[in-house]
Amino acid sequence: MSAMLHQRWELSPSVALRPEPFGALAYHFGNRRLTFLKRPQLVVVVRALAEQPDVRSALAAAGVPAAEWPAYLEALIRLAQGDMIRRADAHEGASV
Amino acid sequence: MTALDSRPRSGSLIEQFEYGLDAPICLTWELTYACNLECAHCLSSSGRRDPRELTTKQCEALIDELQRMQVFYVNIGGGEPTIRPDFWHLLEYAVAHQVGVKFSTNGVRITPERARFLASTDYVDVQVSLDGATAEVNDYVRGPGSYDTALRALGNLADAGFQDAKISVVVTRHNVEQLDEFKALADRFGATLRLTRLRPSGRGAQVWDELHPRSEQQRVLFDWLMVHGDDVLTGDSFFHLAAFGQSLPGLNLCGAGRVVCLIDPIGDVYACPFAIHDEFLAGNVLSDDGFQRIWQTAPLFAKLRSPQAGGACSQCAFFDSCRGGCMAAKFFTGMPLDGPDPECVQGYGESALTADRVIPGAGQNHSKAAATRNEPVMLTLQRREDLSGPPVTACAEDPLAGFDPNASRAHQR
Ligand code: SF4
Ligand code: SF4
């Protein structure tokens, strides 16, 4: 599974989340990208990132069953590509 | 969202959008009906300032509310928004309150100095309107000198180092052949091309017949978008073309009252910028307790967000992607809202246009009472190809003579 699992991530400072019935809208004020988080549980994971030492703990804290981790990791990687989330342990580099 | 407890929690994004969101995604705010130009196809029939225009304080209060609702950005238009004396102040106020701004302008106030200011701000996007890649085609609908004004503005922005301005083009019968030239023009200024559909809204109702792309041109446009779709913006306005067999990138649905909304210069809230008519008026931000209340509880919006019947379109193989096209285009051509778009590429619009229908009048009109030197001359240059001979006398003509309801147009995000 992705190395991301053991890294610390967080919501990018220029991103705001707006709760919506289906999950949330994420808007990046810098690159002006609008992204849809299509599951409420993904929103919980994203919000938990900054509070947890690594992505694995954030997934566990959000109660995501291990079988679904690959799908969630994929979603997180897509968010990282749009700079919606970024590495919090920045000295290790910001690449995915 | 209150009234819609029955909405499903899962389902595709399109399905979710149909039920509406807690705040709009594509909010247009027209700051003034005043304009230095008199474009023949103006969607808001602009020209004169409305004395009831929101004051600076009222505008600031509205921005505060948009910030609370987390409306991340607003498309500011008009009229010509930059001729409001407090325009630059409101721009800075919005950005300082986490409401990004994309504003549309004909370029009249984009001086070198303003361009430098704009280049120094984040969160501001500028969109310069241009409806012809040559002065001849542009000035025909936008008025004499308007091409030079737009190009001067684009030059000032580029010289100031403003990144990625937008050149916003309403696709018409006359400029649809110029798509490559528009693209070259955008490249020259380091800008992005944005193409939107001509709709029979505002003064556009009077010229739609003459200006909307012919059916074979719709195909040219579709093919061009299939090739260049990733490099141009369209505001998702051409989704009715999806019925040619392949969906274009973007959101394929009418967002009116669901994700799209208009606040006009006096604070009236309409379902869509192309639907300025009492039929689509949801309330007023001053008299109805603010924008949020209107967005979340207006009966009109609840209706637009409830499942809609496809009418005649539901039999069509392309209904899933085309969804019957543009509500405003249907309304202003007097067609049933649950039927085909007047520019239906499967040809059902044309037959519907020949059926009995009543074309609704304009919702409001802020056009200048008397023509000025900026008025486009298209109405005097127009060749009446539909006439086999000269009219008996000029005044014996029906006021609707020459109005061919078989013409149509489209949209932007
Ligand atoms: S499809 Fe037409 S009515 Fe619907 S949001 Fe777009 S312009 Fe407005
Ligand atoms: S019949 Fe309706 S759904 Fe089918 S292509 Fe025409 S407008 Fe679109």
Side-chain angles (χ1 to χ4, degrees):
Chain A
M1 234 181 255
S2 160
M4 191 184 215
L5 216 44
H6 309 289
Q7 298 162 349
R8 187 186 187 116
W9 284 72
E10 65 185 3
L11 198 63
S12 293
S14 31
V15 171
L17 287 183
R18 178 173 106 198
E20 285 292 347
F22 58 83
L25 289 184
Y27 184 69
H28 192 300
F29 282 94
N31 63 28
R32 291 174 208 155
R33 273 203 223 193
L34 188 64
T35 302
F36 304 94
L37 307 190
K38 282 179 265 183
R39 291 178 186 206
Q41 217 171 2
L42 180 60
V43 184
V44 180
V45 173
V46 167
R47 288 195 196 276
L49 287 174
E51 294 151 21
Q52 299 291 337
D54 52 30
V55 171
R56 161 194 286 271
S57 319
L59 287 166
V64 179
E68 292 179 24
W69 286 10
Y72 275 75
L73 281 171
E74 239 173 76
L76 290 174
I77 287 168
R78 267 200 306 278
L79 290 174
Q81 283 161 354
D83 190 43
M84 292 292 168
I85 58 171
R86 57 170 66 164
R87 286 288 289 277
D89 39 7
H91 54 276
E92 288 172 46
S95 63
V96 185
Chain B
M1 184 149 299
T2 37
L4 297 161
D5 295 332
S6 58
R7 75 182 285 154
R9 295 279 133 172
S10 58
S12 71
L13 214 46
I14 291 246
E15 280 164 354
Q16 288 297 330
F17 283 2
E18 284 186 332
Y19 285 97
L21 301 181
D22 283 359
I25 295 178
C26 185
L27 174 63
T28 299
W29 181 10
E30 295 185 342
L31 278 183
T32 182
Y33 280 121
C35 192
N36 53 311
L37 298 183
E38 297 163 61
C39 302
H41 56 322
C42 179
L43 78 163
S44 55
S45 303
S46 285
R48 289 168 295 124
R49 183 179 170 275
D50 191 302
R52 297 164 295 171
E53 201 167 84
L54 298 183
T55 64
T56 305
K57 280 272 156 297
Q58 288 165 338
C59 289
E60 288 172 357
L62 186 51
I63 292 168
D64 293 343
E65 191 182 17
L66 298 180
Q67 179 183 22
R68 285 195 299 276
M69 290 175 75
Q70 288 192 284
V71 172
F72 301 124
Y73 59 90
V74 59
N75 307 303
I76 288 185
E80 173 52 44
T82 62
I83 62 181
R84 241 189 99 122
D86 58 1
F87 172 77
W88 305 98
H89 163 74
L90 291 174
L91 186 79
E92 291 186 82
Y93 189 90
V95 168
H97 288 76
Q98 275 125 40
V99 180
V101 170
K102 174 165 88 185
F103 73 90
S104 293
T105 178
N106 55 44
V108 66
R109 293 285 159 88
I110 310 297
T111 59
E113 187 198 344
R114 290 302 185 193
R116 281 193 293 277
F117 161 75
L118 288 166
S120 73
T121 59
D122 278 333
Y123 315 148
V124 178
D125 227 343
V126 184
Q127 187 168 294
V128 179
S129 302
L130 193 72
D131 294 332
T134 53
E136 190 198 8
V137 173
N138 178 80
D139 293 3
Y140 181 65
V141 287
R142 302 187 59 83
S146 58
Y147 181 84
D148 291 342
T149 302
L151 260 69
R152 196 177 317 120
L154 287 163
N156 289 343
L157 288 167
D159 291 347
F162 186 90
Q163 303 284 319
D164 199 23
K166 311 290 180 288
I167 298 183
S168 190
V169 175
V170 174
V171 178
T172 68
R173 186 171 299 182
H174 305 305
N175 68 23
V176 70
E177 319 289 345
Q178 299 186 311
L179 296 177
D180 289 328
E181 289 167 70
F182 279 119
K183 185 76 180 66
L185 205 56
D187 292 344
R188 186 173 123 206
F189 289 109
T192 299
L193 183 58
R194 181 168 180 278
L195 302 174
T196 57
R197 184 178 169 192
L198 174 75
R199 298 182 187 82
S201 310
R203 285 197 293 271
Q206 291 149 33
V207 293
W208 184 74
D209 279 351
E210 188 206 332
L211 290 184
H212 84 108
R214 301 174 196 279
S215 51
E216 66 277 9
Q217 293 178 322
Q218 306 270 8
R219 182 79 218 194
V220 170
L221 173 62
F222 175 76
D223 291 341
W224 196 90
L225 288 172
M226 279 325 249
V227 176
H228 300 278
D230 291 335
D231 309 326
V232 296
L233 302 168
T234 62
D236 303 339
S237 68
F238 297 111
F239 63 91
H240 68 299
L241 300 180
F244 276 128
Q246 212 172 334
S247 288
L248 295 160
L251 186 62
N252 290 304
L253 96 158
C254 169
R258 297 158 159 169
V259 296
V260 171
C261 186
L262 168 75
I263 303 176
D264 94 338
I266 63 170
D268 278 349
V269 176
Y270 293 93
C272 163
F274 294 92
I276 302 181
H277 191 280
D278 283 352
E279 195 85 14
F280 304 108
L281 177 60
N284 181 283
V285 298
L286 300 181
S287 53
D288 291 315
D289 233 7
F291 176 66
Q292 179 160 20
R293 222 182 96 112
I294 298 169
W295 176 261
Q296 296 185 352
T297 67
L300 170 72
F301 288 166
K303 194 173 117 204
L304 290 173
R305 291 165 198 166
S306 59
Q308 321 227 326
C313 285
S314 48
Q315 307 297 321
C316 170
F318 299 99
F319 183 66
D320 275 352
S321 49
C322 165
R323 298 187 166 247
C326 170
M327 178 184 81
K330 293 189 261 203
F331 180 77
F332 288 110
T333 47
M335 304 197 16
L337 296 189
D338 65 352
D341 189 286
E343 283 180 314
C344 163
V345 299
Q346 293 295 315
Y348 297 115
E350 280 165 46
S351 44
L353 280 166
T354 56
D356 278 350
R357 66 209 163 82
V358 178
I359 292 164
Q364 52 80 28
N365 192 354
H366 291 83
S367 302
K368 285 171 189 156
T372 72
R373 66 194 161 86
N374 289 337
E375 192 183 48
V377 290
M378 63 177 285
L379 297 176
T380 54
L381 285 184
Q382 181 174 353
R383 284 217 332 272
R384 290 283 304 275
E385 285 152 28
D386 55 319
L387 291 183
S388 44
V392 187
T393 74
C395 40
E397 267 195 63
D398 184 278
L400 282 180
F403 181 83
D404 167 16
N406 293 309
S408 129
R409 92 175 171 150
H411 173 76
Q412 136 216 47
R413 270 183 274 276

